[in-house]
Amino acid sequence: MEIKKILEEKILFFDGAMGTMLQRAGLKRGEIPEILNIEDKDKIINIHKKYIEAGANIITTNTFGANELKLEDIKYSVEEIIDAAVKNAKKASENRDTLVALDIGPIGELLEPMGTLKFEKAYNVFKRQVIQGVKSGADVILIETMADLYEVKAAVLAAKENSKLPVFCTMTFEKDRRTFTGCSILSMIMTLEGLGVDALGVNCSLGPVELEPIVSEILEFSSIPVMVQPNAGLPKMVNGETVYEISKEEFSSIEKRMAEKGARILGGCCGTDDTFIKKVVEEVSKVKPISKNSSKICGVCTPTNPVIIDGVKVIGERINPTGKKLFKEALKNNDIDYIVKQALSQIDAGADILDVNVGLPEINEAEMMIKVVKELQSVIDIPLQIDSNDKNVIEKALRIYNGKAIVNSVNGEEKVLNSILPIVKKYGASVIGLTLDEKGIPLKAEDRFKVAKKIVNKCLEYGISKEDIIIDCLTLTVSAQQKEVVETLKALNMVKNRLKVKTVLGVSNVSFGLPNRELLNSTFLAMALRDGLDLPIVNPNKSEIMNTIYSFKVLNNEDVGGEDYIKLYSNLKPKKDSAIRNVKAIDNKDSNKVSNEETSEDLIKIIIKGIKDKSAIITKELLKNNSELKIVNEYLIPALDIVGKKYEKGDIFLPQLIQSAETVKKAFEVIKEKLILENKDQISRGKIILATVKGDIHDIGKNIVKTVLENYGFTIIDLGKDVPKEEVVKAAKEHNVKLIGLSALMTTTVKSMEETIEALNENNIDCKVFVGGAVLNEDYAEMIKADYYAKDAKEAVEIAEKILC
Ligand code: THG
């Protein structure tokens, strides 16, 4: 039976951990599990068989790390490994109706802009896996243990574009209900549902106890089947071995509760074995599957900032060259900085979403759109609205957009609908439909309503749901078409109440050619809001506009208790979404000519905002009148401290932390250049050795710590990954360091960490050791006799400052 059909009626059982079973079967530290698909087939087949015996409907191939970047140094190709792995699973399920899921884990490197891996490169890595998986006969594609929404998008596109198989996708969340790169549950749901996966959910991360509230939130908002594969509780170290704290009885009773709440696909991750799955199947089979709510979230998002359209949300109009000489110049001169500034100032003024239009006849719009979207998404954290008439531009922008965007726009013309809607559907965007067609803009409200209805029906035909349709009844200019302004509002009211979709209007159009435009704009805005306008496209930097919106929200019972209103108008800022950086915008000054007075304060702001290009320019200016050390101590370090505090408070997330760190790096580069020119010693706050220990090839965490420590002014001696203890000892002696950081991602390699620390002690190396990595915690660190445990890069900095400064 087709999986989609099965899911409508049944609860599906996946298997449990492969790694746990392999370790018990004697997998050695540092051994690459995927190689066993070829070199020890029987071991793998036996594990699969155990899970089938236990009652799993779907077993997962032993291919978690089978990608070309992780398997670089081994003698088998990705294709050979995947082929063997799928065949092993198929062999185990011979004569049974068990299905085989091709397992795809994270690549193990950070994507741009956080890291260096390009989106299209990631796509190609996943594509190779998918193509082989299909060839070898997999039945399902399982994308799992993902922490970065952008990487997930690359993987899902690779799966959908190179196979017809069902795609299941799970991410790993931490207790704060975000992945380690800050992705929120709602953003995951909106983005993955948009991309058309068949099931979504959570795996690994934590035990079932800690996952329960996360699963409940996913169940509340997901309109597609929800999948859960928890660890067997949290890991503990007992006699040098990793054990998980939860019994199969407790595990299965919590999974049963999840099933009762609506979870449809259940299995296990780290620490679970066939006895867990057997118990789960026993318990959960008693549950009658409940049918899920099918209503989707109405909203758009970036990974860290989901914007739900459940009331008025402001779309900023200013990234648009129409009628703006300076903006046109900026586009022609490739001055992306200018555009970023327009974005920041609109966010500071209260925009929730930004319209992005970079169309100019004399430039390549597609190239510019990609550049601007990427740059904006690396600095700001609100969703974007892709504004273009060109299908190619829209498609390219949607492909590289991280999250769920709005497309501005389609209209009632058949050929426009038929060319743009498939793209909107494929990439899972929301879409604005303008109420005009081949015959132009209808004058009467009833006729605009008819066009709106046609657009809505066409969207539904293409599989775009009502929640993703936004209708624009078109603002006309009152100076030229006075009678039609009320027709717009009448049509808006009809659309809102009869078609039950969201509405948008370009408000500023109303006042072209008249004096005191803001007065007309804000009065028209108030009228439109009253008629049900959800998404005004406005200039948020005009106080009349934002005043109208804030006051409307109180009067319309949206701003409950007038909380935001009171904060704002008693001279406090309103409580904005936490992810937005609440620093005042940088003024429109020519970035190359800045006076010393301006630069001092601005450098800190620039770092907090993460504007890389400007940081070098301003540092150069500052160096004319300030010592290198003064700049480091009075600007760079304090700015990083502010950023660090925001990160700790959860006001910003890893992407922004790294962005700010990179901004400091640019400043450091300028300072170092000058020091080298003057033949002075390099500024360093101290040397630190970093290494991922023997047997572990995951260095993503170590690399993040390295970047951040470097940007705090420390000199890093990076020994790389899979580093033997002897090499750490040797480097420690040679460089005479006072601090060493060790990283391990896998439970199996924590032992190596302990041995490395022992070796340092035996050799009487006088230095402190801090440790970090996904499976570590305070207790582990103590047990293996590390001096410090660093939860994240920020804590590593605090340790370094304590020891070295
Ligand atoms: N519906 C939808 N999209 C739209 C519109 C709409 N996008 C474009 C436009 N209308 C909304 N955006 C703008 C942007 C700028 C101005 C008006 C609407 C504007 N510009 C000034 C001018 O042209 O004189 C320049 C202002 C300045 O220099 O800052 O007024 O209706 N879906």
Side-chain angles (χ1 to χ4, degrees):
M1 204 178 359
E2 215 199 323
I3 287 191
K4 285 178 205 177
K5 269 264 163 333
I6 301 176
L7 277 175
E8 280 169 23
E9 302 158 12
K10 275 186 59 175
I11 291 175
L12 272 182
F13 298 104
F14 260 76
D15 47 9
M18 173 60 74
T20 304
M21 299 284 263
L22 279 175
Q23 276 162 35
R24 287 190 201 154
L27 180 77
K28 286 190 225 46
R29 221 176 319 135
E31 221 177 330
I32 298 175
E34 286 80 3
I35 292 181
L36 300 180
N37 289 313
I38 295 173
E39 295 187 353
D40 199 352
K41 280 181 194 305
D42 289 343
K43 197 175 270 174
I44 304 298
I45 294 172
N46 274 334
I47 293 173
H48 286 318
K49 278 189 175 158
K50 282 191 179 160
Y51 280 123
I52 296 172
E53 288 304 313
N57 310 112
I58 307 192
I59 52 172
T60 314
T61 59
N62 176 29
T63 51
F64 181 78
N67 69 68
E68 65 186 58
L69 296 179
K70 274 195 185 164
L71 295 183
E72 217 167 27
D73 305 326
I74 71 163
K75 60 183 174 194
Y76 304 108
S77 68
V78 168
E79 285 74 14
E80 287 168 309
I81 298 265
I82 291 181
D83 188 50
V86 176
K87 293 206 167 119
N88 290 340
K90 286 268 163 188
K91 175 90 188 154
S93 56
E94 243 171 14
N95 305 322
R96 313 281 294 239
D97 53 8
T98 318
L99 298 170
V100 171
L102 172 73
D103 191 36
I104 296 183
I107 292 177
E109 291 182 20
L110 277 181
L111 266 74
E112 285 184 334
M114 273 186 287
T116 53
L117 188 65
K118 297 225 181 312
F119 181 77
E120 285 302 329
K121 170 73 185 173
Y123 171 87
N124 285 322
V125 169
F126 290 125
K127 180 177 168 181
R128 240 179 109 175
Q129 295 172 272
V130 169
I131 288 177
Q132 187 56 49
V134 172
K135 248 194 215 160
S136 303
D139 304 299
V140 181
I141 292 172
L142 173 64
I143 298 162
E144 54 134 331
T145 324
M146 290 284 173
D148 178 3
L149 193 65
Y150 210 27
E151 185 172 355
V152 174
K153 178 166 178 173
V156 174
L157 284 176
K160 306 273 301 177
E161 290 179 351
N162 299 285
S163 84
K164 292 192 171 61
L165 299 180
V167 179
F168 295 1
C169 186
T170 55
M171 296 184 78
T172 70
F173 290 86
E174 325 223 336
K175 277 196 184 129
D176 66 354
R177 300 192 182 202
R178 290 182 181 268
T179 69
F180 98 94
T181 64
C183 178
S184 76
I185 291 174
L186 292 183
S187 295
M188 169 183 80
I189 295 173
M190 279 195 256
T191 307
L192 290 183
E193 284 190 357
L195 290 171
V197 303
D198 298 283
L200 61 79
V202 53
N203 79 298
C204 205
S205 325
L206 305 158
V209 178
E210 298 79 15
L211 279 191
E212 214 175 354
I214 292 172
V215 171
S216 296
E217 187 175 337
I218 299 176
L219 284 168
E220 185 180 347
F221 293 103
S222 169
S223 67
I224 63 172
V226 171
M227 169 159 182
V228 189
Q229 302 211 81
N231 290 346
L234 300 173
K236 278 191 305 199
M237 194 85 138
V238 175
N239 302 331
E241 296 296 321
T242 304
V243 295
Y244 288 85
E245 63 183 0
I246 285 220
S247 69
K248 51 183 175 290
E249 285 75 20
E250 199 175 344
F251 188 89
S252 56
S253 79
I254 301 173
E255 286 213 345
K256 182 169 175 231
R257 266 208 308 272
M258 292 174 177
E260 282 162 353
K261 287 186 201 155
R264 294 302 285 269
I265 308 167
L266 296 161
C269 203
C270 306
T272 61
D273 60 16
D274 52 322
T275 66
F276 275 68
I277 298 305
K278 184 155 187 275
K279 194 83 192 146
V280 165
V281 174
E282 239 172 71
E283 287 301 309
V284 179
S285 294
K286 299 174 192 157
V287 179
K288 192 172 166 299
I290 61 169
S291 45
K292 285 252 334 117
N293 68 322
S294 55
S295 70
K296 285 179 67 178
I297 303 169
C298 180
V300 288
C301 68
T302 68
T304 47
N305 183 18
V307 172
I308 309 300
I309 307 170
D310 54 357
V312 180
K313 295 281 137 91
V314 175
I315 302 178
E317 71 179 18
R318 301 198 63 211
I319 301 183
N320 189 326
T322 316
K324 297 185 195 107
K325 214 172 132 226
L326 281 176
F327 203 104
K328 286 183 185 154
E329 284 303 311
L331 285 178
K332 278 187 254 176
N333 300 331
N334 228 327
D335 183 358
I336 308 290
D337 213 36
Y338 179 87
I339 298 172
V340 171
K341 270 192 298 196
Q342 299 292 325
L344 288 169
S345 78
Q346 292 183 91
I347 296 171
D348 283 340
D352 298 295
I353 297 165
L354 294 181
D355 186 88
V356 180
N357 183 322
V358 293
L360 209 57
E362 53 270 59
I363 66 163
N364 181 330
E365 187 186 349
E367 265 173 33
M368 182 57 82
M369 182 62 97
I370 290 174
K371 201 186 260 176
V372 169
V373 168
K374 280 189 174 172
E375 191 61 32
L376 285 176
Q377 287 213 291
S378 78
V379 179
I380 66 162
D381 193 29
I382 68 173
L384 302 180
Q385 170 165 301
I386 310 302
D387 186 355
S388 174
N389 300 321
D390 186 335
K391 174 187 168 181
N392 178 41
V393 173
I394 294 174
E395 170 143 37
K396 289 198 157 131
L398 289 183
R399 191 171 183 84
I400 54 102
Y401 181 81
N402 191 0
K404 175 178 176 187
I406 301 177
V407 169
N408 189 11
S409 56
V410 297
N411 58 50
E413 288 180 70
E414 280 295 325
K415 69 172 198 310
V416 172
L417 290 167
N418 290 328
S419 85
I420 307 290
L421 293 184
I423 305 172
V424 170
K425 171 66 187 167
K426 176 178 175 187
Y427 291 100
S430 291
V431 62
I432 291 180
L434 310 179
T435 52
L436 61 87
D437 60 14
E438 290 84 356
K439 299 193 288 278
I441 304 178
L443 294 182
K444 288 285 166 214
E446 286 73 14
D447 297 324
R448 283 191 222 176
F449 177 78
K450 275 186 200 148
V451 180
K453 205 164 158 185
K454 175 182 175 187
I455 294 171
V456 170
N457 285 334
K458 202 79 185 178
C459 284
L460 295 175
E461 261 174 50
Y462 275 102
I464 298 163
S465 67
K466 267 201 173 172
E467 291 86 353
D468 291 333
I469 307 170
I470 307 162
I471 293 293
D472 187 335
C473 292
L474 296 170
T475 308
L476 298 175
T477 303
V478 70
S479 59
Q481 292 175 278
Q482 194 168 9
K483 285 204 300 291
E484 275 75 47
V485 172
V486 289
E487 292 297 321
T488 300
L489 297 177
K490 204 168 143 197
L492 177 110
N493 195 298
M494 290 166 76
V495 164
K496 179 83 188 232
N497 292 319
R498 294 195 211 159
L499 296 180
K500 310 242 182 294
V501 294
K502 301 293 174 191
T503 56
V504 63
L505 279 180
V507 172
S508 324
N509 310 3
V510 82
S511 61
F512 281 126
L514 289 172
N516 199 357
R517 286 184 64 183
E518 296 325 317
L519 180 55
L520 286 169
N521 289 350
S522 55
T523 306
F524 176 67
L525 172 61
M527 293 162 79
L529 290 170
R530 175 65 203 156
D531 274 314
L533 175 62
D534 301 287
L535 296 163
I537 306 177
V538 293
N539 179 352
N541 298 97
K542 297 287 180 192
S543 55
E544 293 93 328
I545 292 289
M546 292 312 288
N547 285 343
T548 302
I549 288 169
Y550 289 126
S551 54
F552 176 83
K553 282 186 178 176
V554 180
L555 299 170
N556 199 42
N557 195 28
E558 274 181 46
D559 175 5
V560 178
E563 202 183 316
D564 285 348
Y565 183 90
I566 292 164
K567 271 189 199 148
L568 182 74
Y569 294 102
S570 46
N571 288 331
L572 284 165
K573 290 212 96 185
K575 194 173 109 261
K576 284 288 311 178
D577 197 277
S578 60
I580 294 164
R581 292 134 184 253
N582 49 2
V583 203
K584 256 199 92 48
I586 303 153
D587 307 334
N588 291 347
K589 280 167 201 144
D590 185 342
S591 54
N592 291 311
K593 296 188 209 94
V594 269
S595 77
N596 197 31
E597 209 170 299
E598 288 156 4
T599 49
S600 56
E601 202 193 350
D602 282 354
L603 184 56
I604 290 181
K605 284 185 196 165
I606 282 163
I607 292 166
I608 294 168
K609 293 191 176 206
I611 312 174
K612 285 184 278 193
D613 298 346
K614 262 199 122 160
S615 148
I617 295 167
I618 296 205
T619 305
K620 272 187 198 136
E621 275 308 310
L622 278 173
L623 274 171
K624 289 181 186 158
N625 299 311
N626 299 282
S627 75
E628 296 82 7
L629 212 61
K630 182 168 174 210
I631 297 172
V632 172
N633 288 335
E634 292 182 20
Y635 304 113
L636 305 189
I637 303 298
L640 280 168
D641 282 344
I642 297 173
V643 173
K645 288 212 178 77
K646 280 171 174 283
Y647 177 73
E648 273 164 19
K649 270 174 47 197
D651 285 348
I652 61 167
F653 305 100
L654 191 63
Q656 294 96 337
L657 181 73
I658 291 187
Q659 194 67 22
S660 288
E662 292 285 331
T663 308
V664 171
K665 197 160 156 189
K666 295 269 185 230
F668 256 117
E669 277 163 13
V670 172
I671 291 172
K672 279 186 189 156
E673 234 169 71
K674 179 150 186 259
L675 289 171
I676 290 166
L677 267 181
E678 294 172 0
N679 258 334
K680 287 190 210 157
D681 273 333
Q682 291 213 342
I683 295 191
S684 171
R685 301 172 80 206
K687 286 183 292 191
I688 303 168
I689 286 178
L690 289 185
T692 301
V693 295
K694 179 75 193 157
D696 209 321
I697 52 152
H698 303 86
D699 60 355
I700 201 163
K702 185 212 67 194
N703 288 341
I704 293 170
V705 173
K706 177 182 172 188
T707 307
V708 175
L709 280 172
E710 277 182 343
N711 296 324
Y712 272 79
F714 297 99
T715 303
I716 303 302
I717 299 153
D718 182 2
L719 303 182
K721 54 191 175 187
D722 196 12
V723 182
K725 57 187 178 189
E726 297 79 16
E727 213 171 291
V728 178
V729 172
K730 184 165 157 259
K733 282 184 189 157
E734 193 175 307
H735 297 282
N736 187 25
V737 296
K738 290 278 161 284
L739 186 62
I740 297 178
L742 298 177
S743 154
L745 185 88
M746 299 189 299
T747 46
T748 46
T749 48
V750 175
K751 192 87 186 136
S752 292
M753 208 174 229
E754 188 175 20
E755 288 165 7
T756 308
I757 294 173
E758 265 169 31
L760 286 165
N761 289 338
E762 281 162 14
N763 284 277
N764 295 322
I765 310 264
D766 173 29
C767 77
K768 300 281 183 207
V769 178
F770 70 99
V771 295
V775 296
L776 282 160
N777 56 34
E778 205 73 64
D779 293 345
Y780 263 43
E782 204 175 312
M783 217 147 3
I784 61 174
K785 305 203 173 56
D787 298 293
Y788 299 95
Y789 163 65
K791 176 166 102 330
D792 53 27
K794 184 62 198 15
E795 285 195 4
V797 170
E798 281 159 18
I799 293 163
E801 285 177 336
K802 193 153 133 195
I803 305 298
L804 302 175
C805 299

